[in-house]
Amino acid sequence: QVQLVESGGGYVQAGGSLRLSCAASGRTFTFSNYAMAWFRQAPGKEREFVATTTSSLSGGNTVFADSVKGRFIMSRDNTKNTVYLHMHSLKPENTAVYYCEASFSRGTVPKYVTYEYPYWGQGTQVTVSS
């Protein structure tokens, strides 16, 4: 089992920045073997892909949704079992609960859909005011 705990959400004005963190833990757990992703879900909408990075052993290939490309950065620190989502130039439409998700995978092909990730955290709320 893998436990994920997100933090860093909050309230920010449009144009501002936030950094989300996701700390992973588990028994016999090697963080570098896991593909990690961020998804988000706004009220009344389905969960949508934001960003993903493949496992470090497969090259750490990072991909972003078109809507956040150039504004969001995803990074991971394998020494801390933590992945980050750096969000810049935030817009009101970025308001959502952001979820960190994990999948044991050494593949090089990024995963874009939430059902490919068997582990996820409780989410952290991001609210962007206009």
Side-chain angles (χ1 to χ4, degrees):
Q1 277 287 29
V2 176
Q3 291 80 45
L4 303 173
V5 178
E6 302 97 333
S7 62
Y11 184 92
V12 64
Q13 290 189 331
S17 299
L18 281 175
R19 187 186 77 165
L20 305 184
S21 301
C22 172
S25 62
R27 293 184 61 186
T28 63
F29 169 71
T30 303
F31 184 67
S32 59
N33 288 340
Y34 282 74
M36 302 297 297
W38 289 96
F39 287 79
R40 65 188 178 191
Q41 189 164 17
K45 295 187 176 181
E46 294 186 352
R47 191 172 296 193
E48 67 172 356
F49 167 76
V50 176
T52 184
T53 183
T54 59
S55 69
S56 297
L57 295 182
S58 61
N61 181 25
T62 304
V63 180
F64 298 91
D66 288 343
S67 61
V68 305
K69 202 173 295 184
R71 298 188 298 118
F72 288 15
I73 299 169
M74 185 175 182
S75 62
R76 67 190 298 162
D77 185 341
N78 290 334
T79 65
K80 296 181 179 180
N81 288 357
T82 300
V83 65
Y84 303 96
L85 185 67
H86 308 258
M87 306 186 295
H88 304 287
S89 301
L90 283 163
K91 305 175 181 180
E93 52 264 40
N94 298 144
T95 295
V97 177
Y98 283 71
Y99 296 91
C100 172
E101 303 192 1
S103 173
F104 177 82
S105 174
R106 297 180 180 180
T108 59
V109 178
K111 303 175 185 291
Y112 300 101
V113 291
T114 187
Y115 65 73
E116 294 187 283
Y117 295 87
Y119 306 106
W120 59 89
Q122 82 289 349
T124 185
Q125 176 71 46
V126 171
T127 302
V128 185
S129 65
S130 58

